[in-house]
Amino acid sequence: MKTMTCKQLGGACDLEFHANSFTEIAEMSQKHGSEMFQKSDENHLKAMNEMRNLMQNPDDMKNWFENKKIEFENLPDD
Ligand SMILES: [Zn+2]
């Protein structure tokens, strides 16, 4: 298992996610993000807006995702 925080995954807090694959951890952070969105958490809303801007350019989004995946792969196992 590897650990990444909400912040590391484009979010806004230090909540840790643990997963065996990047796809899995990305899903966990997305789920957490939508929960925070429902609670109208200001910091997460801000972070989400930035992500949304990034997503408007598919190349930027792809690069961001690839880089995060590499970051994840390079993390030591828990
Ligand atoms: Zn968070």
Side-chain angles (χ1 to χ4, degrees):
M1 298 274 270
K2 296 175 194 275
T3 305
M4 274 181 114
T5 64
C6 176
K7 260 183 197 159
Q8 283 177 299
L9 291 157
C13 70
D14 291 318
L15 184 73
E16 292 180 344
F17 305 108
H18 310 276
N20 288 312
S21 73
F22 181 71
T23 316
E24 219 177 308
I25 213 161
E27 272 170 21
M28 291 166 102
S29 94
Q30 261 171 21
K31 190 165 173 279
H32 163 71
S34 61
E35 279 167 12
M36 289 298 115
F37 180 78
Q38 274 164 18
K39 290 179 186 164
S40 303
D41 181 89
E42 202 183 315
N43 291 332
H44 285 82
L45 290 181
K46 222 182 276 174
M48 261 178 241
N49 271 331
E50 278 167 31
M51 284 301 287
R52 206 169 297 142
N53 287 337
L54 189 73
M55 275 183 237
Q56 284 174 355
N57 184 334
D59 283 341
D60 286 352
M61 187 59 207
K62 198 168 165 271
N63 284 340
W64 184 91
F65 216 77
E66 296 281 299
N67 284 334
K68 286 295 161 189
K69 193 164 187 277
I70 293 166
E71 199 177 318
F72 178 84
E73 305 291 348
N74 287 331
L75 286 171
D77 284 312
D78 290 343

